[in-house]
Amino acid sequence: MWPRPDRGRSAKRRNSLTGQSSSQPLWEAVPRTTARIAEASAPGTEGSPLPSPLYRRYLKRKRRARLLVTASQLALLALLLALWEMVARLGWVDSMLTSSPSKLAGSFRTLAAEGTLWKHTWTTGLETIAGIAVSMIAGMAIAVLFWWWTYSAKVLEPYIVVLNALPKVALGPIFYIWLGDRYSVYGMAVAISLIVTIMMIESGFKELAKTKLKLMESFGATKLQMLRMVMLPASVPTLIAALKVNVGLTLVGVIMGEFLSSKAGLGYLIIYGGQVFQMDLVMVSVCMLALMSVVLYGLVNLLAKLLTRKYPVDR
Amino acid sequence: MEMGTPQIELIDASLSYFTPKQETEAIRDVRLTVRAGEFVGIVGPSGCGKSTLLSLISGMLKPTQGKVLIDGREVLGTSPQVGYMLQHDHLFEWRDVLSNVTVGAEIRRMDRNRARRSAMELLERYGLGGFAAHSPSQLSGGMRQRVALIRTLVAEPDILLLDEPFSALDFQTRLTLADEVHRIIREQGKTAVLVTHDIQEAIAMADRVMVMSRRPSTISKVYEIRLGDEAGEDPTPWRKRESPRFQAYFNDIWRELEAHVAKTG
Ligand SMILES: Nc1ncnc2c1ncn2[C@@H]1O[C@H](COP(=O)(O)OP(=O)(O)OP(=O)(O)O)[C@@H](O)[C@H]1O
Ligand SMILES: [Mg+2]
């Protein structure tokens, strides 16, 4: 008496998508070319295994819209570069102040050949990644502690608020004295990103505690089980959001730290270029920095995609 | 499974919710005994404290006054003996349906293979066999509710606390599922407390139906449901609905409830 007819049908239809069991004969019956299209265009999506012409048109339109956006983005970049080059060449502005793309390309080549640019970029990149890792791990550990032992969260709350409001740059000299010129950069990076990370992860935890943990409680789960089975997997979206914020903040911290004290890194290069009035050096370093943040964001997005595939949470 | 020994016992149990702003007296001086193997239905106006009562029995809440006993021992916390199907399904989106229904078994460290086997069997039986590998977000509200029910059953509790287990289902599914659940509970000799807003469902499934009054609520009336045939055989809920005395019970309980609901004005 059980499976109602429509349920049974939809179950079979879904199965046929993942290519399991009963659907095999259906695939056989399909002309090969069509089957390939179905496989290529609709992996893991809902719907019939044979895309209808309408669905194919929808996919095509989507792809075209995406292409248009990318093309426009590239065109905009080219336009800006051309404009920059033009105003410098035509002498509408003083090229001593603005430099120009062609001059930048030139100094990029010389700097790259010398190897100093790579060295400084590498230093900044390493500092940033280490900073992100430290603030994420420490932030998570502290947020877990706050959840596990609510008392500690309550006691420390005003301190967290004050630390969050405090302009971390003001701590620069202290970090310099305590940690020296190399490690004060890390100090600054972590100081800027840690508190926000804690606060983001903690608020994610609080939301969960109101809902999903009730079920865990009803089965008599221990705190460790709650952490492992619910808090961590359900926090993946929060963690990803925190990571994205972290990339930006940690970069600010690292560059700030380098401005204040360091003898290496892109921040140092920028400050140095400014002091000796070498606009090209400053601009190249800034471009390098922009490029680096693009790469970091790309990495974070990739990680986010992998993690969300493993721990899907719809909000 | 001795009949007659109270498996669940509430002795003048009261519970007030305390928040910094106010206190809410949800239930007051509830006296209730449920024998082993008995099926009790609870109906009452919304917000009267039915879910609160189940949380007390499950050990998730402690009574502010009075006592809750299971098998004569005071309830101090949740126990594997009790399965509580919460009003909300709380499915985990990062797990597929199969590993959602085995969550309870996993928490209680039960035999994994056995849990998976009984989970698959129940999924199959409740029309979800093809959905074991699906994500909960691909299910309808009623399907989610069935998954939550299966999750409760897979943990193999002796006592089942069901908080509006069929509320999201269409009428047909609801009747068939009620029959099925009733059968499982009877076959395995489980004790069950069912909270529902559906008076007919309560009459059809339960041996006794309790009506709760408005907040602070007590059990205002208890109805022994006798719809079995002369042979003493226990008919299915479906058959009970067809009994000529069914309507009489319905009218009685309806009137009793109406008195409580009307008081709000
Ligand atoms: N966590 C809580 N904190 C404060 N008050 C609560 C809490 N949970 C429930 N209450 C209050 O206790 C009363 C009883 O709630 P309960 O959820 O037990 O009602 P119910 O009978 O299950 O209602 P429904 O039929 O709508 O599910 C309600 O007035 C509600 O406002
Ligand atoms: Mg309720």
Side-chain angles (χ1 to χ4, degrees):
Chain A
M1 78 180 151
W2 196 255
R4 299 189 313 160
D6 60 337
R7 289 248 161 77
R9 191 153 21 93
S10 68
K12 204 175 282 165
R13 184 180 49 131
R14 294 214 159 115
N15 263 347
S16 69
L17 256 184
T18 45
Q20 285 167 1
S21 63
S22 62
S23 63
Q24 223 48 47
L26 188 68
W27 285 102
E28 252 31 287
V30 167
R32 281 196 59 196
T33 47
T34 339
R36 236 194 350 257
I37 291 172
E39 238 167 350
S41 59
T45 46
E46 301 212 17
S48 96
L50 292 178
S52 65
L54 270 176
Y55 179 54
R56 244 175 291 164
R57 205 163 71 203
Y58 159 83
L59 284 180
K60 202 187 258 172
R61 210 175 287 158
K62 275 250 138 156
R63 213 172 310 139
R64 205 174 296 154
R66 240 187 346 246
L67 263 172
L68 184 67
V69 170
T70 315
S72 309
Q73 285 166 339
L74 290 176
L76 187 62
L77 182 67
L79 185 76
L80 286 175
L81 286 177
L83 210 65
W84 186 3
E85 184 72 39
M86 201 173 74
V87 294
R89 287 262 169 108
L90 296 179
W92 293 357
V93 294
D94 185 355
S95 65
M96 269 291 279
L97 296 180
T98 61
S99 187
S100 76
S102 57
K103 269 168 98 186
L104 278 188
S107 37
F108 177 83
R109 237 172 280 131
T110 33
L111 278 171
E114 281 170 30
T116 43
L117 188 61
W118 302 127
K119 205 189 82 202
H120 290 292
T121 308
W122 181 245
T123 310
T124 301
L126 227 54
E127 286 167 348
T128 309
I129 289 175
I132 292 171
V134 170
S135 356
M136 282 306 288
I137 292 169
M140 191 128 109
I142 293 172
V144 167
L145 174 83
F146 282 180
W147 167 73
W148 198 291
W149 190 30
T150 332
Y151 179 72
S152 69
K154 290 205 175 114
V155 170
L156 293 179
E157 195 194 325
Y159 296 89
I160 295 280
V161 169
V162 169
L163 279 181
N164 185 45
L166 185 77
K168 260 62 80 181
V169 187
L171 302 176
I174 301 178
F175 286 132
Y176 182 62
I177 291 166
W178 286 354
L179 302 171
D181 67 328
R182 268 202 76 202
Y183 292 101
S184 65
V185 175
Y186 294 102
M188 186 59 87
V190 172
I192 285 190
S193 54
L194 180 65
I195 303 289
V196 176
T197 310
I198 295 174
M199 295 201 332
M200 281 180 80
I201 299 177
E202 200 195 1
S203 79
F205 277 4
K206 273 189 188 147
E207 205 47 52
L208 285 173
K210 274 188 238 151
T211 56
K212 303 274 181 203
L213 287 187
K214 196 160 176 208
L215 178 85
M216 298 298 283
E217 215 181 304
S218 81
F219 282 116
T222 62
K223 279 216 148 172
L224 202 63
Q225 283 175 322
M226 289 183 184
L227 189 68
R228 187 172 55 77
M229 292 171 71
V230 176
M231 307 296 273
L232 296 183
S235 295
V236 164
T238 322
L239 291 180
I240 290 168
L243 192 60
K244 283 183 180 165
V245 170
N246 234 312
V247 171
L249 287 181
T250 308
L251 262 173
V252 171
V254 164
I255 297 300
M256 208 44 149
E258 288 176 354
F259 276 4
L260 289 177
S261 57
S262 185
K263 306 269 177 294
L266 289 172
Y268 159 76
L269 220 53
I270 291 170
I271 281 285
Y272 174 76
Q275 279 163 357
V276 300
F277 218 77
Q278 264 195 37
M279 209 51 200
D280 298 344
L281 186 57
V282 175
M283 289 283 192
V284 167
S285 308
V286 171
C287 288
M288 223 37 213
L289 203 52
L291 217 62
M292 198 169 79
S293 35
V294 168
V295 170
L296 281 174
Y297 270 109
L299 285 178
V300 168
N301 273 334
L302 191 73
L303 189 69
K305 220 174 248 168
L306 291 177
L307 276 175
T308 2
R309 195 168 309 152
K310 186 127 186 273
Y311 301 103
V313 172
D314 47 14
R315 283 267 161 92
Chain B
M1 271 307 126
E2 264 176 80
M3 291 301 259
T5 49
Q7 184 155 38
I8 307 172
E9 203 172 355
L10 270 74
I11 306 171
D12 296 332
S14 306
L15 186 126
S16 300
Y17 286 104
F18 299 125
T19 58
K21 279 220 178 103
Q22 73 214 41
E23 81 180 286
T24 311
E25 195 176 5
I27 59 176
R28 178 191 285 174
D29 296 336
V30 169
R31 257 167 201 279
L32 162 76
T33 50
V34 181
R35 293 184 306 275
E38 195 181 15
F39 199 130
V40 170
I42 294 179
V43 294
S46 177
C48 73
K50 303 181 294 299
S51 300
T52 306
L53 187 68
L54 291 192
S55 299
L56 275 180
I57 300 173
S58 78
M60 283 172 70
L61 291 177
K62 266 207 212 81
T64 30
Q65 262 162 53
K67 265 187 193 165
V68 180
L69 309 177
I70 285 184
D71 291 333
R73 280 188 303 276
E74 190 164 354
V75 172
L76 298 172
T78 53
S79 119
Q81 203 184 352
V82 181
Y84 184 7
M85 177 179 168
L86 296 162
Q87 197 166 2
H88 186 84
D89 61 51
H90 294 304
L91 297 183
F92 297 161
E93 291 85 6
W94 57 91
R95 288 169 167 243
D96 63 11
V97 167
L98 181 62
S99 40
N100 256 296
V101 295
T102 52
V103 157
E106 190 178 326
I107 294 172
R108 290 175 178 172
R109 301 204 169 79
M110 293 162 57
D111 180 2
R112 231 184 104 121
N113 290 326
R114 188 185 145 102
R116 286 174 85 90
R117 231 176 305 125
S118 77
M120 276 316 290
E121 196 184 301
L122 286 166
L123 284 172
E124 205 68 57
R125 194 139 95 198
Y126 294 168
L128 293 166
F131 290 87
H134 280 60
S135 135
S137 56
Q138 290 172 291
L139 304 184
S140 73
M143 292 158 92
R144 293 176 69 104
Q145 205 165 36
R146 276 178 278 160
V147 172
L149 176 65
I150 296 169
R151 180 178 58 198
T152 314
L153 293 175
V154 168
E156 299 181 356
D158 299 333
I159 300 172
L160 274 168
L161 309 175
L162 306 172
D163 200 346
E164 300 182 30
F166 311 127
S167 60
L169 302 175
D170 60 272
F171 196 61
Q172 270 85 359
T173 313
R174 199 176 173 129
L175 294 194
T176 13
L177 199 56
D179 263 23
E180 186 74 17
V181 169
H182 185 263
R183 195 178 57 73
I184 290 184
I185 288 172
R186 280 286 187 259
E187 262 176 22
Q188 307 185 354
K190 292 187 194 301
T191 309
V193 181
L194 167 82
V195 164
T196 176
H197 282 292
D198 184 338
I199 303 175
Q200 298 183 342
E201 188 172 278
I203 302 171
M205 291 185 79
D207 304 317
R208 271 192 297 159
V209 175
M210 311 198 174
V211 179
M212 289 183 79
S213 66
R214 290 202 62 76
R215 210 165 47 79
S217 63
T218 46
I219 290 170
S220 74
K221 214 150 191 178
V222 181
Y223 296 85
E224 290 277 347
I225 310 291
R226 288 183 218 281
L227 292 172
D229 27 24
E230 276 67 51
E233 200 202 322
D234 188 29
T236 64
W238 189 284
R239 293 254 321 280
K240 286 196 209 166
R241 283 173 194 265
E242 289 164 351
S243 159
R245 276 166 296 162
F246 189 86
Q247 195 57 37
Y249 281 120
F250 179 82
N251 291 340
D252 280 359
I253 296 175
W254 175 275
R255 239 171 278 127
E256 176 66 25
L257 257 177
E258 199 172 36
H260 296 305
V261 176
K263 269 182 210 155
T264 26

